[in-house]
C-alpha cells in the first residue's frame, strides 16, 4: 500500500516522459543545426552526377538526391533555414500580436472595436492565400517569407492577449493602481503586460512549427525561398519526380525533419500550458 501511495499518477509519468522526449529532440535539433555544418566542412551544394539517387548507405545515411548531393547534409541545412524563418517570424508575429492585443484590451471602446473588426476581417482570409499575396510583391528570399508569415500569424496572439488583458482589468490590483494615480501607460507596462507574457510566450512556441510549415508550403509552391537554397519545403518540392519514379528517401527524410521538431515543440508547449494553467493540470492529474 505504501509503494502504491508513493507512486506518481500515470498521467504525471506520461507527461514527464513526453517532456523529456521533447526536450531531448529539441536539444538534438539545435546541436545538429549549430554543429554539423561547421564540422562537416562539406559543400551541401556539391554536385556528383555519378552518385545521384543512391539509396541510404554508410557513406550517405539518408542517400543522395537527383544530382548526387548528400541528403543528410541537405536536410540539416534545410532545417537550419526553416528554423531560422520559423523563429524570427514567430517572434515578430508574437510582438505584433501582443502589442495590438494589449492596446485593444487596455483602451477598450472604439479602439477595441476597430482592432477586432480588422482581426475578424483578416481571420476570414486563409493564411496561405494572404501569404502568397504578400510574398508575390517581393523577390524570393528569406525575408519576404518571414514578413509574410509574421503579417499573417499575429491574429491569434492578439485575440489571446486581448482576452487576457480584459480579464486582468477586472482584478483588484488594477483598480488599486488606477486609484493610486497610475497612468494608463504605466498600468499597461507595469501590470498588464507582465500578466500576459506567459500566454504570449506559449503562443510564440506554438507558432514556430506553424511558421516552419507555412514556409515549407510557400517553398513547395515555388513562391518561398529560391530553388537553389536548401529548405525543407524546397527539398520536398524537388523530390516529387524522384518519388514518382519509386525513390522514396528524397521525400521521406526532409518530411521527417519537418514533422519531428513540430511534435517536439508541441510537447513542450503542452507542458508550458499545464504549468501556466494549474487548474487544467490538476484536472489531468485526477
Amino acid at each position: 500500500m505504501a509503494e502504491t501511495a508513493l507512486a506518481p499518477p500515470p498521467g504525471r509519468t506520461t507527461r514527464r516522459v513526453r517532456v523529456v522526449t521533447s526536450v531531448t529532440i529539441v536539444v538534438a535539433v539545435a546541436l545538429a543545426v549549430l554543429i554539423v555544418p561547421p564540422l562537416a566542412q562539406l559543400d551541401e551544394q556539391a554536385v556528383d552526377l555519378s552518385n545521384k539517387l543512391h539509396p541510404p548507405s554508410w557513406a550517405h545515411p539518408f542517400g543522395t538526391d537527383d544530382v548526387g548531393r548528400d541528403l543528410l547534409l541537405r536536410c540539416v541545412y534545410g532545417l537550419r533555414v526553416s528554423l531560422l524563418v520559423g523563429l524570427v517570424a514567430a517572434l515578430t508575429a508574437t510582438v505584433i500580436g501582443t502589442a495590438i492585443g494589449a492596446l485593444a484590451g487596455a483602451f477598450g471602446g472604439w479602439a477595441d472595436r476597430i482592432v477586432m473588426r480588422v482581426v475578424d476581417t483578416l481571420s476570414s482570409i486563409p493564411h496561405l492565400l494572404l501569404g502568397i499575396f504578400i510574398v508575390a510583391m517581393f523577390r524570393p528570399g528569406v525575408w519576404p517569407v518571414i514578413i509574410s508569415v509574421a503579417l499573417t500569424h499575429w491574429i491569434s496572439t492578439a485575440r489571446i492577449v486581448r482576452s487576457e488583458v480584459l480579464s486582468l482589468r477586472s482584478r483588484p490590483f488594477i483598480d488599486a493602481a488606477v486609484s493610486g494615480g497610475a497612468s494608463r501607460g504605466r498600468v499597461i507596462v507595469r501590470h498588464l503586460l507582465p500578466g500576459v507574457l506567459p500566454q504570449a510566450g506559449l503562443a510564440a512556441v506554438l507558432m514556430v512549427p506553424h511558421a516552419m510549415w507555412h514556409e515549407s508550403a510557400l517553398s513547395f509552391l515555388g513562391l518561398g525561398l529560391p530553388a537553389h537554397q536548401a529548405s525543407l519545403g524546397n527539398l520536398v518540392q524537388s523530390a516529387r519526380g524522384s518519388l514518382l519514379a519509386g525513390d522514396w528517401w528524397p521525400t521521406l527524410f526532409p518530411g521527417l525533419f519537418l514533422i519531428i521538431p513540430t511534435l517536439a515543440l508541441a510537447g513542450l508547449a503542452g507542458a508550458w500550458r499545464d504549468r501556466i494553467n494549474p487548474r487544467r493540470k490538476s484536472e489531468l492529474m485526477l
Side-chain angles (χ1 to χ4, degrees), residues 93-103 154 157-158 161-162 193 196-197 200-201:
T94 300
V95 171
I96 295 173
T98 300
I100 293 177
L103 292 175
W154 60 267
T157 303
V161 170
R162 171 185 175 271
L193 280 180
V196 303
L197 285 181

Side-chain angles (χ1 to χ4, degrees), residues 80-92 146 149 204 207-213 215:
R80 195 180 194 181
V81 173
S82 296
L83 271 177
L84 172 66
V85 172
L87 287 170
V88 176
L91 289 176
T92 305
I146 290 175
V149 175
M207 204 179 302
V208 171
H210 196 144
M212 291 174 60
W213 281 90
E215 176 275 321

Side-chain angles (χ1 to χ4, degrees), residues 28-260:
V29 167
L31 291 177
V33 299
L34 292 175
I35 295 177
V36 170
L39 290 181
Q41 296 183 347
L42 297 172
D43 183 8
E44 53 93 16
Q45 296 282 8
V47 174
D48 183 6
L49 295 177
S50 65
N51 200 31
K52 65 178 183 179
L53 289 177
H54 274 208
S57 61
W58 286 110
H60 302 284
F62 286 6
T64 60
D65 64 6
D66 57 346
V67 292
R69 294 173 293 192
D70 183 78
L71 199 56
L72 173 58
L73 197 58
R74 294 274 291 168
C75 285
V76 172
Y77 272 91
L79 180 60
R80 195 180 194 181
V81 173
S82 296
L83 271 177
L84 172 66
V85 172
L87 287 170
V88 176
L91 289 176
T92 305
T94 300
V95 171
I96 295 173
T98 300
I100 293 177
L103 292 175
F107 283 89
W110 61 268
D112 185 28
R113 289 193 293 272
I114 291 176
V115 169
M116 293 315 297
R117 295 298 79 77
V118 172
V119 167
D120 292 339
T121 301
L122 294 177
S123 297
S124 64
I125 305 174
H127 286 172
L128 185 59
L129 182 62
L130 187 58
I132 290 173
F133 175 76
I134 295 173
V135 168
M137 296 187 295
F138 305 92
R139 288 185 176 182
V142 172
W143 285 109
V145 175
I146 290 175
I147 293 171
S148 168
V149 175
L151 293 181
T152 55
H153 287 72
W154 60 267
I155 301 169
S156 58
T157 303
R159 288 183 181 275
I160 294 171
V161 170
R162 171 185 175 271
S163 176
E164 195 70 16
V165 167
L166 291 176
S167 175
L168 290 173
R169 281 178 56 185
S170 61
R171 304 287 178 85
F173 70 90
I174 298 296
D175 294 335
V178 173
S179 300
S183 64
R184 181 172 291 177
R186 183 178 178 84
V187 169
I188 294 174
V189 174
R190 295 295 299 272
H191 301 287
L192 295 179
L193 280 180
V196 303
L197 285 181
Q199 296 289 346
L202 175 60
V205 173
L206 288 171
M207 204 179 302
V208 171
H210 196 144
M212 291 174 60
W213 281 90
H214 198 90
E215 176 275 321
S216 297
L218 290 173
S219 297
F220 183 82
L221 294 173
L223 299 170
L225 274 63
H228 69 272
Q229 187 168 7
S231 76
L232 297 179
N234 279 340
L235 292 179
V236 174
Q237 195 276 339
S238 63
R240 288 185 301 170
S242 302
L243 182 63
L244 294 175
D247 301 320
W248 48 268
W249 56 93
T251 303
L252 174 64
F253 292 113
L256 290 178
F257 266 58
L258 187 59
I259 293 171
I260 292 175

